[in-house]
Amino acid sequence: MKFFWPVCYPLSATRKNCLIFKLVVFFVLAFAVLTGCNNPSGSGNDGQKPEEPNDPAEIIPNTPTEVVAEAISSSVIEISWTPVSNAQGYIIFESPVEDGTYDEIGTVSKTDFEHTGLEPNTTYYYRVSAFNNAGESSKSEFVYAVTHGVVPAVPVEVKAEAASSSAIEISWNPVSNADGYKIFKSSSENGTYDLLEDVSTESVEDTGLAEGSSHYYKVSAYNIMGESEKSNAVYATTVGPPPGMPGNVIASGESSSRIKVSWDFVPNATRYFLYQSMAPGGTYVKVNPSPETDYFTGNAAEISSLSSGTIFYYKVSAWNSNGESTQSIYVAAKTSPSGRPPAPTGVSVSAVSNLIRISFNPVPGATRYYVYVSSNSTSGFLRLYNAANGNDYFPANTGSVTLNNLPLNSFIYVRVSAYNSNGEGLQSSASAYNFSIPVAPWAPYLDSASLISSDTVKLEWSIEPFDVHTGYYVYASIRSTGPYIKVGATANKFAEISGLYQDMTYYFKVSAFDGNGEGVLQITPVSITTPAEVNHFSLSERTWYDNTIAAGEIHYYKIYTGINGYDWYINWEDAANSESTADVRIGFKRQGASSYIINVTDLGNFGWNKMILEQLPNEYFIIEVRGVEPGTYRLEYER
């Protein structure tokens, strides 16, 4: 359409009138244009087609393209697209599934959008539309993204089980967001764990293991976000032989109706079976700790409701998943007879200064106690001597016993028993003590003193089997209360003390010494009385009779040496049986200046038996004549 703007010719009256004319023409033309645009048939505009609008805002935008969804964290997905030229904004839609309902989640004027607050490791689907004043485009094709995962949780229900004698299977529950699992192994629970395998399954087998060997395992889970902590340790032992037989099995009577049995723990054993019999070679029946259980998990058992004064026999075996061990060698214990006191309890051994104290709980009704000591926990227990009262028991008004010298730097085992009018009760369980303090040796037990001549006594003593002494000192006194004078030293457990006065009583005590010094003296002395002086006979007399010897008596005769080189013989016989062929002839023959040959023969057989007798310092020999029955005994010599 062409418009011609009117021109004012000169005929116009004034310039004002010309301007008014132009305005009228403008409004007329504008009206014509407007009415022509609203006429679809083109009427009013000479039948021509109207032109397209040239304002973009009057056109609906195209559908967005190149839509992209990308996870940027475990809870955020970013959606972006290329811009649409005439769009005033964009609408973002989301659905949990590809073909589901897409709900509007946001409107933006830019070409990207962040969807926040999402679940980790979850798939989300998106579509985008564009809009302006003219309307909204169709939705784009769907796109999707998966939010990032989080670091996996620690695997749980981790188990290790022996699969064979050389393999162990490790398994665990799956972890939802894990991409894989790492298995770590150690030879001990608190040791260093090294990587064994990296797998994507929920189990693995560790092979090539030694039979009966134990192994420890931990498991972690991982994904792109990282690795979890390791699980708690689990362990398993490859299948092997049954456990070994329990050792150090001990049975002890605890009362008139109760026996206690104990044993050492066995490696790899998970339970123990206890068997009881009434005879060593009898049938052994399993002892059940309760009606529901036939095994023990500890290393001791108490059997009650037993008959009093009865011996019972026990064996113990160990068990694990590989089977039961052989039964131990039987042990026996006896319940105390009815009425006898029970074994003392609470027995303990301690060192106090340089003394050893054995403590225990007093037993009601006990009138005395016995203490037993051994270097072995199961045998060799010997009853201790109580030096305070000269007996082998300790008084009832005590709960402890104090000793002044037990073995050094070694274990001893102690048992205690109680006694009443019905007899001695059972010994307590053995209590051990390791001595590490220097203690002087215990006083020996001076057992006997016997005369070997009129002025010589032989002393013999004993010691505890676990004592090791360097030597011993012998003390003597003429009064029981002392003072005691040291009269000899020896490394033996006997001594001969000579030079004693005749017809006098002597008292003797003994002490022991070692590297820790000298111990105390024996409290109660041993005494002996030397015989009275008897008549002498001269070798110039052929025969001398002594008719004063009563049955059981001993008379001693001194035979003085110094006669010039003579040989002589002395016979003695019962005068009432002088013709007996059992008469013995003893001959003394001078040999050198300080020794003699003793010849002994039966009168009916003159074969000689010789032995050397050293000359005594006081130049005489002792002949002992012991009375066997009342009678007269004759001493006779021949040249």
Side-chain angles (χ1 to χ4, degrees):
M1 180 182 294
K2 297 181 180 179
F3 295 95
F4 297 94
W5 191 255
V7 180
C8 292
Y9 291 98
L11 55 92
S12 300
T14 63
R15 291 181 60 90
K16 178 179 180 181
N17 291 336
C18 182
L19 178 60
I20 293 173
F21 174 76
K22 288 181 179 180
L23 289 172
V24 171
V25 173
F26 173 79
F27 283 112
V28 171
L29 292 174
F31 177 77
V33 171
L34 291 175
T35 57
C37 290
N38 293 327
N39 186 355
S41 61
S43 59
N45 59 356
D46 298 328
Q48 296 182 16
K49 183 178 179 180
E51 293 183 1
E52 294 292 332
N54 52 13
D55 186 353
E58 301 300 326
I59 302 173
I60 294 175
N62 294 325
T63 301
T65 59
E66 298 185 25
V67 181
V68 177
E70 182 181 4
I72 60 175
S73 74
S74 62
S75 61
V76 178
I77 291 178
E78 183 182 65
I79 308 96
S80 62
W81 54 91
T82 58
V84 178
S85 60
N86 61 335
Q88 294 178 343
Y90 305 91
I91 303 172
I92 299 88
F93 303 87
E94 181 268 331
S95 173
V97 293
E98 177 184 342
D99 298 326
T101 301
Y102 285 79
D103 298 319
E104 181 181 330
I105 59 172
T107 301
V108 294
S109 58
K110 56 184 181 177
T111 56
D112 60 77
F113 175 80
E114 283 190 355
H115 190 191
T116 61
L118 307 180
E119 294 294 325
N121 199 34
T122 304
T123 303
Y124 294 88
Y125 295 84
Y126 301 95
R127 301 176 77 179
V128 182
S129 67
F131 71 90
N132 60 15
N133 291 337
E136 181 184 356
S137 73
S138 60
K139 297 180 179 67
S140 66
E141 294 294 325
F142 77 86
V143 292
Y144 73 92
V146 181
T147 52
H148 293 170
V150 294
V151 174
V154 177
V156 296
E157 297 295 326
V158 180
K159 298 177 182 178
E161 297 179 343
S164 69
S165 61
S166 62
I168 292 175
E169 182 180 41
I170 308 97
S171 62
W172 56 91
N173 286 353
V175 179
S176 60
N177 61 333
D179 294 333
Y181 305 93
K182 293 181 180 180
I183 299 87
F184 301 87
K185 177 182 176 181
S186 176
S187 59
S188 63
E189 182 177 3
N190 298 317
T192 301
Y193 284 80
D194 298 318
L195 180 65
L196 175 66
E197 282 198 54
D198 185 337
V199 298
S200 58
T201 58
E202 287 79 42
S203 66
V204 70
E205 195 169 87
D206 186 12
T207 59
L209 308 177
E211 181 183 272
S213 58
S214 296
H215 305 270
Y216 295 79
Y217 302 93
K218 293 182 179 182
V219 181
S220 68
Y222 68 88
N223 60 17
I224 193 173
M225 301 304 296
E227 182 180 355
S228 72
E229 295 292 328
K230 296 181 180 67
S231 67
N232 291 332
V234 295
Y235 82 98
T237 302
T238 54
V239 176
M245 180 183 70
N248 196 28
V249 181
I250 300 172
S252 59
E254 299 293 301
S255 71
S256 60
S257 62
R258 192 174 74 255
I259 286 176
K260 180 179 180 180
V261 183
S262 62
W263 55 89
D264 287 342
F265 280 113
V266 177
N268 301 321
T270 57
R271 62 184 63 170
Y272 301 89
F273 296 113
L274 177 64
Y275 299 88
Q276 176 181 282
S277 176
M278 299 303 297
T283 301
Y284 283 81
V285 180
K286 189 178 291 184
V287 177
N288 299 334
S290 69
E292 300 81 18
T293 309
D294 67 347
Y295 62 87
F296 298 84
T297 56
N299 66 331
E302 284 197 356
I303 305 93
S304 57
S305 302
L306 302 175
S307 301
S308 63
T310 306
I311 299 177
F312 295 87
Y313 300 85
Y314 296 93
K315 294 182 178 181
V316 184
S317 67
W319 183 94
N320 63 17
S321 58
N322 300 318
E324 183 178 359
S325 74
T326 56
Q327 295 177 6
S328 66
I329 300 173
Y330 77 83
V331 294
K334 183 179 180 180
T335 53
S336 61
S338 181
R340 293 189 185 183
T345 59
V347 178
S348 63
V349 186
S350 59
V352 180
S353 183
N354 66 335
L355 303 177
I356 304 305
R357 177 168 296 163
I358 303 168
S359 303
F360 49 89
N361 297 325
V363 177
T367 58
R368 64 179 65 167
Y369 296 98
Y370 296 104
V371 177
Y372 299 84
V373 178
S374 175
S375 58
N376 186 290
S377 63
T378 59
S379 61
F381 282 86
L382 299 177
R383 186 182 290 179
L384 290 183
Y385 173 79
N386 182 5
N389 59 18
N391 296 301
D392 61 354
Y393 63 84
F394 296 84
N397 59 347
T398 182
S400 65
V401 173
T402 301
L403 307 171
N404 73 325
N405 34 25
L406 287 176
L408 306 178
N409 300 318
S410 63
F411 274 97
I412 67 161
Y413 297 87
V414 177
R415 290 179 176 177
V416 182
S417 67
Y419 175 92
N420 63 15
S421 58
N422 295 311
E424 182 182 1
L426 298 170
Q427 295 179 16
S428 65
S429 299
S431 297
Y433 188 80
N434 184 19
F435 290 93
S436 59
I437 60 172
V439 179
W442 203 341
Y445 302 131
L446 186 51
D447 299 319
S448 66
S450 58
L451 286 168
I452 59 174
S453 72
S454 59
D455 69 345
T456 303
V457 63
K458 183 176 183 178
L459 305 173
E460 296 181 278
W461 53 87
S462 59
I463 61 174
E464 295 293 346
F466 43 72
D467 281 338
V468 179
H469 299 152
T470 303
Y472 307 91
Y473 294 123
V474 179
Y475 292 80
S477 176
I478 58 173
R479 286 186 289 272
S480 62
T481 57
Y484 284 85
I485 300 172
K486 187 185 295 184
V487 294
T490 178
N492 302 312
K493 288 183 284 188
F494 64 88
E496 294 182 3
I497 307 301
S498 60
L500 305 179
Y501 293 104
Q502 292 183 318
D503 196 17
M504 182 173 291
T505 299
Y506 288 89
Y507 298 87
F508 296 95
K509 290 185 177 184
V510 180
S511 69
F513 64 88
D514 59 17
N516 295 310
E518 181 182 0
V520 297
L521 290 173
Q522 180 182 354
I523 295 178
T524 303
V526 171
S527 64
I528 196 168
T529 301
T530 55
E533 187 86 20
V534 296
N535 294 328
H536 292 79
F537 67 91
S538 171
L539 290 177
S540 62
E541 300 173 0
R542 179 176 175 80
T543 303
W544 184 83
Y545 295 92
D546 184 355
N547 59 3
T548 64
I549 305 177
E553 285 187 345
I554 301 174
H555 282 198
Y556 298 90
Y557 301 91
K558 295 181 180 180
I559 301 178
Y560 288 87
T561 62
I563 300 177
N564 295 329
Y566 290 123
D567 295 341
W568 62 84
Y569 303 94
I570 300 175
N571 305 330
W572 64 83
E573 62 183 22
D574 188 334
N577 188 19
S578 60
E579 302 303 323
S580 170
T581 58
D583 291 346
V584 176
R585 171 179 292 179
I586 299 179
F588 291 81
K589 185 175 183 180
R590 184 75 175 267
Q591 177 179 294
S594 61
S595 63
Y596 294 84
I597 298 175
I598 302 176
N599 300 312
V600 180
T601 184
D602 188 300
L603 287 178
N605 181 358
F606 287 88
W608 298 102
N609 295 312
K610 298 183 178 181
M611 60 182 176
I612 301 297
L613 177 66
E614 294 297 328
Q615 182 178 344
L616 298 178
N618 48 6
E619 299 290 329
Y620 64 83
F621 293 109
I622 304 297
I623 296 295
E624 172 184 317
V625 178
R626 185 183 299 270
V628 179
E629 59 184 21
T632 300
Y633 293 82
R634 182 178 65 197
L635 297 176
E636 184 177 279
Y637 78 94
E638 289 182 357
R639 291 189 179 180

